[in-house]
Amino acid sequence: MYLDLHTHSVSSDDSRATVEQYVKWVGVLRRRGWQIDGFVLTEHRKFDHDVDYSTLARDNDVLILKGSELDTSHGHFLVYGVTEELTDRVDFSHVGLDAVCLMRAADECGAIAVPAHPGRFGVGLYEYYDGADLSAVRVVERLNGSNRPGEQERAEELIQRHGYAGTGGSDAHLVSAIGTCMTRFDQEVSNEAELVERLKAGGFRAVRLEDTARGGDCDH
Amino acid sequence: MTSPTLYFDDIEIGDDIGPIERAVTHPQALDFIAVWTGDDRPTRFSDRDTAVSEGLAGPIVPGIMTMAFISSLLTEWAPGGKLAMLDVVFRQVVLHDVQHTLSGIVTDKADDRPEIQCDVFLQDPQGTRLIIGKAALELPAKGDL
Amino acid sequence: MTTDEDIRFDKDMLGVDHDAGVFQAARERMTAFALATSQTDPIYLDDEKGAEAGYGGIIAPPTFCNLFTGAVARPDIGLQFGDLSFHAGQAIENRSPVRPGDTLTARTRLKEVYPKTGRSGKMVFEVWETTFTNQRGETAATVRESFVHRSKTQP
C-alpha cells in the first residue's frame, strides 16, 4: 500500500490545505490512475490527541493517520505513533529538542522518530554528524517532495554511507502537493501502531507518484 | 476583455489555471514602487547595491507586486470572477528581469456558494517555486447551487 | 532552552487592536496600480465599464489594499531577535470593492509571534492582521502579513 508519510494541514503555520481538501485531492489522484491509500498528518511542533478524522477517512476510503514534525538539534524529525506518554515527556513546541533524547523517548513510548528531509540545508541530518550518538537512526526520509536542488543528492549520500532504510513523503503544504512522494509498504498499515511496527521491521521503500501507476512500480 | 465568461458549473477540481509568463523589468519595478511608496530612496527593491549589501543577488520584485500578478493570472483565467482571497508564502526572492511562470490548479469547489479554491505558484526558469499560495475565487453560476 | 526563552517581545500586544491610520483610495493611485501591474480589465480603468459591471464606476484591482500595509502605523512590540527581516508571506481577504474616493480606516493587531527552524537556521515569525473599513462602515479588506526575523550568521 502507498502512504504519504509527510503532510501538513492548516494546523501547521505554513500550510494552506485542509484535511478535507487533501482527501478530495486523493480522489483526483486516483481518478488519474495513481495509487494512494492514505497519508500521515505531521503538523509542525504539535500533536493533537483529540482531533479525529476517522469518519472522513472511512467515508472516502482514505487512511488518515497522525504524527508530528519536530525541530531538533539535528534537523527536523518526523515522529510516528505519538502517544500521550510521549507528549508528556517531550515538549513538542520546543525548537531545539535534543535529537538523541527524542529518538530514545520515542522508542520507549512505542513511537519512532525519523529524520525528515535529511539532505535539506540547515535542517537536515546531513549537516549534524557532530559526534552525537546517532546509532538509533535506522530509517530516514529518503524522498521529500519539497527538496531543492542538491538536497536529494545529500540524502542519497547519507543513505548510502550509513545503510539507512528510506521512506517517502510529499511534505505537502498545499493541496495539490499531496502524494508527490510516498512510501510503499509490503504489508497493510491500518493505524499508527502498525505504522511504527512496519517502519521498525522494514518492508517498505520510497516512491514517487509516477511510480504508483498500476504495473509501473519501480525502485529508487 | 475577449475571453468568455467562465462559470462555476464548468470547473472541475484538478483544472489547470494558466500558465502565464511575467518578467518584471527594472523600470516596471520602479513604476510600481512609485505607486506603492512614492519614495525614491534606494532599497532592496530598487537598487542593486543595496540589494547586494543585504545578501541578495540583485534587486527584487516587491511581494505585493507579485501578488498583483497572481491576482491577474486568476482574473484573466476567469473573467467576471472575483478574487475573494489570496494567501501566499514568499519562499524565495523574485529578481528583476527574469521570466517567471505563474500558474494555478483548482483544488476545491464550495458546496454552498459558487466559490472555488486553487493552489497558485510563481516559478523561476529552473522550475523552482519561489512563491506558493492559495486563492479563493467567486465565479458566476449558471443556476442556483 | 524553552520555546520562548530567547524571544523577547511585549506579549501584552498580542490580540490587541490598534488604530493604524486612515488611507485615501485616490482614483489616480487606483488606475496607476492597475497599469503598473498589467491589470487591464476595463472595470479598473473605465467608469462606463465599471458601471456596466454594477459598481457605479471603476473599482480598484483586488489586491489594492496591500499598497497601504507598508504605511500602516504599528506599535513597537520590542521584538529582539536577529538582524535581518524579510516579508515571509501575505494574505488578503477582499470583502467590499474599493471605489475612488473611499476613505479606509485601518485597525491592526499582532496575531502571533513564534519560532521555528528552517534552511536559514532559527527564525522568529511575527504576524499582523490589519482590517480596512470604508466610510460606509463596510470592511473592504483584511490583510495578514507575516515577517521573518533571523540572524545574518547562524551559529
Side-chain angles (χ1 to χ4, degrees), chain A residues 13-14 16 45 71 76 93-96 120-123 146 148 151, chain C residues 1-3 89-90 112 114-122 125 144:
Chain A
D13 64 295
D14 51 357
R16 303 294 183 266
R45 301 174 296 281
D71 296 18
H76 291 181
S93 68
H94 189 330
V95 296
R120 184 169 293 185
F121 297 102
V123 284
S146 295
R148 289 188 189 168
E151 294 179 340
Chain C
M1 185 174 69
T2 67
T3 301
Q90 184 140 333
E112 54 181 337
Y114 62 93
K116 64 192 285 186
T117 58
R119 288 184 175 90
S120 47
K122 186 168 176 184
F125 283 71
R144 196 184 68 240

PDB file of all heavy atoms in Angstrom, chain A residues 13-14 16 45 71 76 93-96 120-123 146 148 151, chain C residues 1-3 89-90 112 114-122 125 144:
ATOM      1  N   ASP A  13       1.593  26.173  10.776  1.00  0.00           N
ATOM      2  CA  ASP A  13       1.592  27.610  10.489  1.00  0.00           C
ATOM      3  C   ASP A  13       1.777  27.931   9.014  1.00  0.00           C
ATOM      4  O   ASP A  13       1.266  28.929   8.521  1.00  0.00           O
ATOM      5  CB  ASP A  13       2.694  28.306  11.305  1.00  0.00           C
ATOM      6  CG  ASP A  13       4.086  27.827  10.907  1.00  0.00           C
ATOM      7  OD1 ASP A  13       4.383  26.642  11.119  1.00  0.00           O
ATOM      8  OD2 ASP A  13       4.859  28.636  10.369  1.00  0.00           O
ATOM      9  N   ASP A  14       2.503  27.084   8.288  1.00  0.00           N
ATOM     10  CA  ASP A  14       2.861  27.441   6.916  1.00  0.00           C
ATOM     11  C   ASP A  14       2.107  26.632   5.868  1.00  0.00           C
ATOM     12  O   ASP A  14       2.463  26.657   4.695  1.00  0.00           O
ATOM     13  CB  ASP A  14       4.368  27.295   6.714  1.00  0.00           C
ATOM     14  CG  ASP A  14       4.879  25.924   7.170  1.00  0.00           C
ATOM     15  OD1 ASP A  14       4.072  25.131   7.689  1.00  0.00           O
ATOM     16  OD2 ASP A  14       6.080  25.674   7.009  1.00  0.00           O
ATOM     17  N   ARG A  16      -1.521  25.638   3.810  1.00  0.00           N
ATOM     18  CA  ARG A  16      -2.769  26.276   3.403  1.00  0.00           C
ATOM     19  C   ARG A  16      -3.833  25.254   3.011  1.00  0.00           C
ATOM     20  O   ARG A  16      -4.841  25.612   2.416  1.00  0.00           O
ATOM     21  CB  ARG A  16      -2.505  27.220   2.211  1.00  0.00           C
ATOM     22  CG  ARG A  16      -1.464  28.303   2.460  1.00  0.00           C
ATOM     23  CD  ARG A  16      -1.928  29.298   3.500  1.00  0.00           C
ATOM     24  NE  ARG A  16      -0.976  30.384   3.716  1.00  0.00           N
ATOM     25  CZ  ARG A  16      -0.039  30.390   4.665  1.00  0.00           C
ATOM     26  NH1 ARG A  16       0.083  29.360   5.488  1.00  0.00           N
ATOM     27  NH2 ARG A  16       0.764  31.430   4.802  1.00  0.00           N
ATOM     28  N   ARG A  45       5.640  20.863  15.092  1.00  0.00           N
ATOM     29  CA  ARG A  45       5.816  21.208  16.516  1.00  0.00           C
ATOM     30  C   ARG A  45       4.547  21.047  17.358  1.00  0.00           C
ATOM     31  O   ARG A  45       4.342  21.783  18.308  1.00  0.00           O
ATOM     32  CB  ARG A  45       6.347  22.655  16.651  1.00  0.00           C
ATOM     33  CG  ARG A  45       7.677  22.890  15.956  1.00  0.00           C
ATOM     34  CD  ARG A  45       8.101  24.341  15.989  1.00  0.00           C
ATOM     35  NE  ARG A  45       7.208  25.190  15.257  1.00  0.00           N
ATOM     36  CZ  ARG A  45       7.209  25.324  13.940  1.00  0.00           C
ATOM     37  NH1 ARG A  45       8.071  24.659  13.201  1.00  0.00           N
ATOM     38  NH2 ARG A  45       6.329  26.104  13.341  1.00  0.00           N
ATOM     39  N   ASP A  71      11.317  20.100  15.554  1.00  0.00           N
ATOM     40  CA  ASP A  71      12.572  20.811  15.290  1.00  0.00           C
ATOM     41  C   ASP A  71      13.598  20.373  16.339  1.00  0.00           C
ATOM     42  O   ASP A  71      13.387  20.603  17.534  1.00  0.00           O
ATOM     43  CB  ASP A  71      12.368  22.326  15.413  1.00  0.00           C
ATOM     44  CG  ASP A  71      11.403  22.901  14.385  1.00  0.00           C
ATOM     45  OD1 ASP A  71      10.623  22.125  13.798  1.00  0.00           O
ATOM     46  OD2 ASP A  71      11.423  24.128  14.163  1.00  0.00           O
ATOM     47  N   HIS A  76      15.088  18.465  11.392  1.00  0.00           N
ATOM     48  CA  HIS A  76      13.692  18.101  11.658  1.00  0.00           C
ATOM     49  C   HIS A  76      13.537  16.579  11.729  1.00  0.00           C
ATOM     50  O   HIS A  76      14.205  15.854  10.986  1.00  0.00           O
ATOM     51  CB  HIS A  76      12.778  18.647  10.560  1.00  0.00           C
ATOM     52  CG  HIS A  76      12.668  20.146  10.570  1.00  0.00           C
ATOM     53  ND1 HIS A  76      11.894  20.847   9.684  1.00  0.00           N
ATOM     54  CD2 HIS A  76      13.249  21.087  11.370  1.00  0.00           C
ATOM     55  CE1 HIS A  76      11.988  22.153   9.940  1.00  0.00           C
ATOM     56  NE2 HIS A  76      12.819  22.316  10.955  1.00  0.00           N
ATOM     57  N   SER A  93       6.698  21.736  21.229  1.00  0.00           N
ATOM     58  CA  SER A  93       6.793  23.105  20.694  1.00  0.00           C
ATOM     59  C   SER A  93       8.227  23.649  20.749  1.00  0.00           C
ATOM     60  O   SER A  93       8.535  24.676  20.149  1.00  0.00           O
ATOM     61  CB  SER A  93       5.871  24.035  21.478  1.00  0.00           C
ATOM     62  OG  SER A  93       6.349  24.186  22.807  1.00  0.00           O
ATOM     63  N   HIS A  94       9.090  22.960  21.451  1.00  0.00           N
ATOM     64  CA  HIS A  94      10.486  23.372  21.633  1.00  0.00           C
ATOM     65  C   HIS A  94      11.223  23.278  20.287  1.00  0.00           C
ATOM     66  O   HIS A  94      11.182  22.227  19.642  1.00  0.00           O
ATOM     67  CB  HIS A  94      11.085  22.402  22.652  1.00  0.00           C
ATOM     68  CG  HIS A  94      12.441  22.748  23.151  1.00  0.00           C
ATOM     69  ND1 HIS A  94      13.375  23.434  22.426  1.00  0.00           N
ATOM     70  CD2 HIS A  94      13.036  22.468  24.343  1.00  0.00           C
ATOM     71  CE1 HIS A  94      14.473  23.566  23.125  1.00  0.00           C
ATOM     72  NE2 HIS A  94      14.297  22.988  24.310  1.00  0.00           N
ATOM     73  N   VAL A  95      11.899  24.335  19.865  1.00  0.00           N
ATOM     74  CA  VAL A  95      12.550  24.290  18.548  1.00  0.00           C
ATOM     75  C   VAL A  95      13.998  23.800  18.606  1.00  0.00           C
ATOM     76  O   VAL A  95      14.678  23.793  17.588  1.00  0.00           O
ATOM     77  CB  VAL A  95      12.483  25.652  17.819  1.00  0.00           C
ATOM     78  CG1 VAL A  95      11.045  26.025  17.529  1.00  0.00           C
ATOM     79  CG2 VAL A  95      13.203  26.741  18.592  1.00  0.00           C
ATOM     80  N   GLY A  96      14.452  23.410  19.788  1.00  0.00           N
ATOM     81  CA  GLY A  96      15.828  22.908  19.882  1.00  0.00           C
ATOM     82  C   GLY A  96      15.901  21.594  20.633  1.00  0.00           C
ATOM     83  O   GLY A  96      16.815  21.368  21.435  1.00  0.00           O
ATOM     84  N   ARG A 120      18.336  18.237   3.542  1.00  0.00           N
ATOM     85  CA  ARG A 120      17.954  19.652   3.465  1.00  0.00           C
ATOM     86  C   ARG A 120      18.998  20.542   4.123  1.00  0.00           C
ATOM     87  O   ARG A 120      19.532  20.222   5.180  1.00  0.00           O
ATOM     88  CB  ARG A 120      16.589  19.887   4.114  1.00  0.00           C
ATOM     89  CG  ARG A 120      16.111  21.331   3.956  1.00  0.00           C
ATOM     90  CD  ARG A 120      14.681  21.517   4.347  1.00  0.00           C
ATOM     91  NE  ARG A 120      13.787  20.815   3.435  1.00  0.00           N
ATOM     92  CZ  ARG A 120      12.450  20.896   3.492  1.00  0.00           C
ATOM     93  NH1 ARG A 120      11.872  21.655   4.410  1.00  0.00           N
ATOM     94  NH2 ARG A 120      11.702  20.228   2.641  1.00  0.00           N
ATOM     95  N   PHE A 121      19.259  21.640   3.478  1.00  0.00           N
ATOM     96  CA  PHE A 121      20.199  22.619   4.030  1.00  0.00           C
ATOM     97  C   PHE A 121      19.618  23.192   5.328  1.00  0.00           C
ATOM     98  O   PHE A 121      18.443  23.499   5.404  1.00  0.00           O
ATOM     99  CB  PHE A 121      20.472  23.728   3.013  1.00  0.00           C
ATOM    100  CG  PHE A 121      21.123  23.218   1.755  1.00  0.00           C
ATOM    101  CD1 PHE A 121      20.382  23.025   0.595  1.00  0.00           C
ATOM    102  CD2 PHE A 121      22.467  22.879   1.743  1.00  0.00           C
ATOM    103  CE1 PHE A 121      20.976  22.512  -0.559  1.00  0.00           C
ATOM    104  CE2 PHE A 121      23.066  22.370   0.588  1.00  0.00           C
ATOM    105  CZ  PHE A 121      22.324  22.189  -0.567  1.00  0.00           C
ATOM    106  N   GLY A 122      20.437  23.264   6.334  1.00  0.00           N
ATOM    107  CA  GLY A 122      20.035  23.898   7.592  1.00  0.00           C
ATOM    108  C   GLY A 122      19.290  23.003   8.552  1.00  0.00           C
ATOM    109  O   GLY A 122      19.577  23.007   9.742  1.00  0.00           O
ATOM    110  N   VAL A 123      18.353  22.228   8.073  1.00  0.00           N
ATOM    111  CA  VAL A 123      17.522  21.413   8.972  1.00  0.00           C
ATOM    112  C   VAL A 123      17.471  19.944   8.570  1.00  0.00           C
ATOM    113  O   VAL A 123      16.509  19.246   8.863  1.00  0.00           O
ATOM    114  CB  VAL A 123      16.094  21.982   9.104  1.00  0.00           C
ATOM    115  CG1 VAL A 123      16.089  23.195  10.014  1.00  0.00           C
ATOM    116  CG2 VAL A 123      15.497  22.304   7.750  1.00  0.00           C
ATOM    117  N   SER A 146       9.524  18.409  -1.210  1.00  0.00           N
ATOM    118  CA  SER A 146       9.861  19.845  -1.184  1.00  0.00           C
ATOM    119  C   SER A 146      11.360  20.097  -1.278  1.00  0.00           C
ATOM    120  O   SER A 146      11.826  21.191  -0.949  1.00  0.00           O
ATOM    121  CB  SER A 146       9.330  20.478   0.109  1.00  0.00           C
ATOM    122  OG  SER A 146       7.929  20.431   0.129  1.00  0.00           O
ATOM    123  N   ARG A 148      15.006  21.020  -2.557  1.00  0.00           N
ATOM    124  CA  ARG A 148      15.570  21.976  -3.514  1.00  0.00           C
ATOM    125  C   ARG A 148      16.805  21.333  -4.153  1.00  0.00           C
ATOM    126  O   ARG A 148      17.312  20.325  -3.645  1.00  0.00           O
ATOM    127  CB  ARG A 148      15.942  23.274  -2.797  1.00  0.00           C
ATOM    128  CG  ARG A 148      14.701  24.051  -2.379  1.00  0.00           C
ATOM    129  CD  ARG A 148      15.049  25.420  -1.857  1.00  0.00           C
ATOM    130  NE  ARG A 148      13.865  26.036  -1.278  1.00  0.00           N
ATOM    131  CZ  ARG A 148      13.889  27.134  -0.529  1.00  0.00           C
ATOM    132  NH1 ARG A 148      15.041  27.732  -0.256  1.00  0.00           N
ATOM    133  NH2 ARG A 148      12.771  27.641  -0.044  1.00  0.00           N
ATOM    134  N   GLU A 151      19.652  18.828  -2.544  1.00  0.00           N
ATOM    135  CA  GLU A 151      19.247  18.203  -1.288  1.00  0.00           C
ATOM    136  C   GLU A 151      19.006  16.692  -1.436  1.00  0.00           C
ATOM    137  O   GLU A 151      19.340  15.919  -0.534  1.00  0.00           O
ATOM    138  CB  GLU A 151      18.026  18.911  -0.710  1.00  0.00           C
ATOM    139  CG  GLU A 151      18.367  20.348  -0.298  1.00  0.00           C
ATOM    140  CD  GLU A 151      17.209  21.151   0.268  1.00  0.00           C
ATOM    141  OE1 GLU A 151      16.046  20.792   0.020  1.00  0.00           O
ATOM    142  OE2 GLU A 151      17.468  22.164   0.933  1.00  0.00           O
TER     143      GLU A 151
ATOM    144  N   MET C   1      16.902  25.385  26.868  1.00  0.00           N
ATOM    145  CA  MET C   1      16.217  26.417  26.076  1.00  0.00           C
ATOM    146  C   MET C   1      14.746  26.052  25.942  1.00  0.00           C
ATOM    147  O   MET C   1      14.401  24.960  25.515  1.00  0.00           O
ATOM    148  CB  MET C   1      16.866  26.485  24.688  1.00  0.00           C
ATOM    149  CG  MET C   1      16.319  27.576  23.832  1.00  0.00           C
ATOM    150  SD  MET C   1      17.247  27.716  22.288  1.00  0.00           S
ATOM    151  CE  MET C   1      16.798  26.207  21.462  1.00  0.00           C
ATOM    152  N   THR C   2      13.874  26.924  26.291  1.00  0.00           N
ATOM    153  CA  THR C   2      12.458  26.683  26.041  1.00  0.00           C
ATOM    154  C   THR C   2      12.061  27.459  24.799  1.00  0.00           C
ATOM    155  O   THR C   2      12.837  28.254  24.278  1.00  0.00           O
ATOM    156  CB  THR C   2      11.587  27.172  27.220  1.00  0.00           C
ATOM    157  OG1 THR C   2      11.679  28.587  27.279  1.00  0.00           O
ATOM    158  CG2 THR C   2      12.032  26.571  28.524  1.00  0.00           C
ATOM    159  N   THR C   3      10.871  27.239  24.352  1.00  0.00           N
ATOM    160  CA  THR C   3      10.405  27.870  23.120  1.00  0.00           C
ATOM    161  C   THR C   3      10.548  29.388  23.165  1.00  0.00           C
ATOM    162  O   THR C   3      10.972  30.012  22.210  1.00  0.00           O
ATOM    163  CB  THR C   3       8.923  27.514  22.896  1.00  0.00           C
ATOM    164  OG1 THR C   3       8.841  26.110  22.811  1.00  0.00           O
ATOM    165  CG2 THR C   3       8.411  28.129  21.640  1.00  0.00           C
ATOM    166  N   GLY C  89       5.250  36.284   4.074  1.00  0.00           N
ATOM    167  CA  GLY C  89       4.005  35.904   3.422  1.00  0.00           C
ATOM    168  C   GLY C  89       2.958  36.974   3.615  1.00  0.00           C
ATOM    169  O   GLY C  89       3.112  37.871   4.463  1.00  0.00           O
ATOM    170  N   GLN C  90       1.914  36.898   2.821  1.00  0.00           N
ATOM    171  CA  GLN C  90       0.836  37.869   2.939  1.00  0.00           C
ATOM    172  C   GLN C  90      -0.459  37.246   2.445  1.00  0.00           C
ATOM    173  O   GLN C  90      -0.466  36.464   1.493  1.00  0.00           O
ATOM    174  CB  GLN C  90       1.173  39.125   2.117  1.00  0.00           C
ATOM    175  CG  GLN C  90       0.147  40.231   2.255  1.00  0.00           C
ATOM    176  CD  GLN C  90       0.803  41.611   2.343  1.00  0.00           C
ATOM    177  OE1 GLN C  90       1.936  41.745   2.786  1.00  0.00           O
ATOM    178  NE2 GLN C  90       0.085  42.632   1.936  1.00  0.00           N
ATOM    179  N   GLU C 112       0.393  36.741  16.156  1.00  0.00           N
ATOM    180  CA  GLU C 112       1.248  35.781  16.852  1.00  0.00           C
ATOM    181  C   GLU C 112       2.716  36.051  16.585  1.00  0.00           C
ATOM    182  O   GLU C 112       3.075  36.708  15.609  1.00  0.00           O
ATOM    183  CB  GLU C 112       0.894  34.329  16.478  1.00  0.00           C
ATOM    184  CG  GLU C 112       0.902  34.042  15.005  1.00  0.00           C
ATOM    185  CD  GLU C 112       0.523  32.592  14.697  1.00  0.00           C
ATOM    186  OE1 GLU C 112       0.673  31.724  15.569  1.00  0.00           O
ATOM    187  OE2 GLU C 112       0.097  32.339  13.565  1.00  0.00           O
ATOM    188  N   TYR C 114       6.202  33.546  16.846  1.00  0.00           N
ATOM    189  CA  TYR C 114       6.610  32.164  17.152  1.00  0.00           C
ATOM    190  C   TYR C 114       7.929  31.825  16.465  1.00  0.00           C
ATOM    191  O   TYR C 114       8.250  32.382  15.421  1.00  0.00           O
ATOM    192  CB  TYR C 114       5.514  31.163  16.733  1.00  0.00           C
ATOM    193  CG  TYR C 114       5.218  31.163  15.254  1.00  0.00           C
ATOM    194  CD1 TYR C 114       5.871  30.262  14.408  1.00  0.00           C
ATOM    195  CD2 TYR C 114       4.303  32.041  14.704  1.00  0.00           C
ATOM    196  CE1 TYR C 114       5.603  30.251  13.043  1.00  0.00           C
ATOM    197  CE2 TYR C 114       4.039  32.037  13.347  1.00  0.00           C
ATOM    198  CZ  TYR C 114       4.692  31.140  12.525  1.00  0.00           C
ATOM    199  OH  TYR C 114       4.433  31.140  11.175  1.00  0.00           O
ATOM    200  N   PRO C 115       8.662  30.899  17.070  1.00  0.00           N
ATOM    201  CA  PRO C 115       9.944  30.488  16.474  1.00  0.00           C
ATOM    202  C   PRO C 115       9.804  29.226  15.636  1.00  0.00           C
ATOM    203  O   PRO C 115       8.866  28.450  15.821  1.00  0.00           O
ATOM    204  CB  PRO C 115      10.778  30.175  17.721  1.00  0.00           C
ATOM    205  CG  PRO C 115       9.780  29.602  18.677  1.00  0.00           C
ATOM    206  CD  PRO C 115       8.452  30.269  18.388  1.00  0.00           C
ATOM    207  N   LYS C 116      10.729  29.029  14.724  1.00  0.00           N
ATOM    208  CA  LYS C 116      10.843  27.756  14.024  1.00  0.00           C
ATOM    209  C   LYS C 116      12.249  27.677  13.445  1.00  0.00           C
ATOM    210  O   LYS C 116      12.985  28.667  13.457  1.00  0.00           O
ATOM    211  CB  LYS C 116       9.773  27.606  12.941  1.00  0.00           C
ATOM    212  CG  LYS C 116       9.871  28.605  11.805  1.00  0.00           C
ATOM    213  CD  LYS C 116       8.628  28.596  10.926  1.00  0.00           C
ATOM    214  CE  LYS C 116       8.560  27.413  10.018  1.00  0.00           C
ATOM    215  NZ  LYS C 116       7.412  27.499   9.074  1.00  0.00           N
ATOM    216  N   THR C 117      12.604  26.508  12.944  1.00  0.00           N
ATOM    217  CA  THR C 117      13.895  26.385  12.285  1.00  0.00           C
ATOM    218  C   THR C 117      13.662  26.012  10.838  1.00  0.00           C
ATOM    219  O   THR C 117      12.712  25.293  10.508  1.00  0.00           O
ATOM    220  CB  THR C 117      14.786  25.317  12.960  1.00  0.00           C
ATOM    221  OG1 THR C 117      14.095  24.059  12.935  1.00  0.00           O
ATOM    222  CG2 THR C 117      15.107  25.699  14.395  1.00  0.00           C
ATOM    223  N   GLY C 118      14.545  26.505   9.987  1.00  0.00           N
ATOM    224  CA  GLY C 118      14.412  26.237   8.561  1.00  0.00           C
ATOM    225  C   GLY C 118      15.772  26.276   7.902  1.00  0.00           C
ATOM    226  O   GLY C 118      16.801  26.283   8.582  1.00  0.00           O
ATOM    227  N   ARG C 119      15.748  26.313   6.566  1.00  0.00           N
ATOM    228  CA  ARG C 119      17.018  26.266   5.832  1.00  0.00           C
ATOM    229  C   ARG C 119      17.991  27.349   6.273  1.00  0.00           C
ATOM    230  O   ARG C 119      19.198  27.170   6.208  1.00  0.00           O
ATOM    231  CB  ARG C 119      16.754  26.380   4.326  1.00  0.00           C
ATOM    232  CG  ARG C 119      16.119  25.143   3.713  1.00  0.00           C
ATOM    233  CD  ARG C 119      15.981  25.284   2.213  1.00  0.00           C
ATOM    234  NE  ARG C 119      15.494  24.065   1.584  1.00  0.00           N
ATOM    235  CZ  ARG C 119      14.213  23.763   1.382  1.00  0.00           C
ATOM    236  NH1 ARG C 119      13.266  24.593   1.782  1.00  0.00           N
ATOM    237  NH2 ARG C 119      13.874  22.641   0.784  1.00  0.00           N
ATOM    238  N   SER C 120      17.464  28.485   6.726  1.00  0.00           N
ATOM    239  CA  SER C 120      18.368  29.556   7.134  1.00  0.00           C
ATOM    240  C   SER C 120      18.531  29.619   8.659  1.00  0.00           C
ATOM    241  O   SER C 120      18.867  30.658   9.209  1.00  0.00           O
ATOM    242  CB  SER C 120      17.899  30.889   6.565  1.00  0.00           C
ATOM    243  OG  SER C 120      16.518  31.049   6.772  1.00  0.00           O
ATOM    244  N   GLY C 121      18.308  28.513   9.332  1.00  0.00           N
ATOM    245  CA  GLY C 121      18.552  28.449  10.768  1.00  0.00           C
ATOM    246  C   GLY C 121      17.330  28.806  11.580  1.00  0.00           C
ATOM    247  O   GLY C 121      16.188  28.670  11.127  1.00  0.00           O
ATOM    248  N   LYS C 122      17.583  29.311  12.784  1.00  0.00           N
ATOM    249  CA  LYS C 122      16.457  29.644  13.651  1.00  0.00           C
ATOM    250  C   LYS C 122      15.844  30.977  13.213  1.00  0.00           C
ATOM    251  O   LYS C 122      16.564  31.922  12.879  1.00  0.00           O
ATOM    252  CB  LYS C 122      16.912  29.733  15.106  1.00  0.00           C
ATOM    253  CG  LYS C 122      15.735  29.937  16.045  1.00  0.00           C
ATOM    254  CD  LYS C 122      16.097  29.748  17.484  1.00  0.00           C
ATOM    255  CE  LYS C 122      14.884  30.071  18.348  1.00  0.00           C
ATOM    256  NZ  LYS C 122      15.182  30.006  19.781  1.00  0.00           N
ATOM    257  N   PHE C 125       8.897  34.327  13.599  1.00  0.00           N
ATOM    258  CA  PHE C 125       7.851  34.892  12.744  1.00  0.00           C
ATOM    259  C   PHE C 125       6.969  35.832  13.555  1.00  0.00           C
ATOM    260  O   PHE C 125       6.620  35.535  14.697  1.00  0.00           O
ATOM    261  CB  PHE C 125       6.999  33.776  12.133  1.00  0.00           C
ATOM    262  CG  PHE C 125       7.664  33.084  10.985  1.00  0.00           C
ATOM    263  CD1 PHE C 125       8.744  32.246  11.197  1.00  0.00           C
ATOM    264  CD2 PHE C 125       7.224  33.278   9.686  1.00  0.00           C
ATOM    265  CE1 PHE C 125       9.381  31.607  10.140  1.00  0.00           C
ATOM    266  CE2 PHE C 125       7.844  32.652   8.628  1.00  0.00           C
ATOM    267  CZ  PHE C 125       8.927  31.817   8.847  1.00  0.00           C
ATOM    268  N   ARG C 144      -3.323  39.960   6.162  1.00  0.00           N
ATOM    269  CA  ARG C 144      -2.442  39.351   7.167  1.00  0.00           C
ATOM    270  C   ARG C 144      -1.023  39.334   6.620  1.00  0.00           C
ATOM    271  O   ARG C 144      -0.790  38.865   5.503  1.00  0.00           O
ATOM    272  CB  ARG C 144      -2.889  37.923   7.477  1.00  0.00           C
ATOM    273  CG  ARG C 144      -2.287  37.354   8.752  1.00  0.00           C
ATOM    274  CD  ARG C 144      -2.666  35.912   8.969  1.00  0.00           C
ATOM    275  NE  ARG C 144      -2.043  35.066   7.976  1.00  0.00           N
ATOM    276  CZ  ARG C 144      -2.689  34.300   7.110  1.00  0.00           C
ATOM    277  NH1 ARG C 144      -3.986  34.254   7.118  1.00  0.00           N
ATOM    278  NH2 ARG C 144      -2.031  33.570   6.237  1.00  0.00           N
TER     279      ARG C 144
END
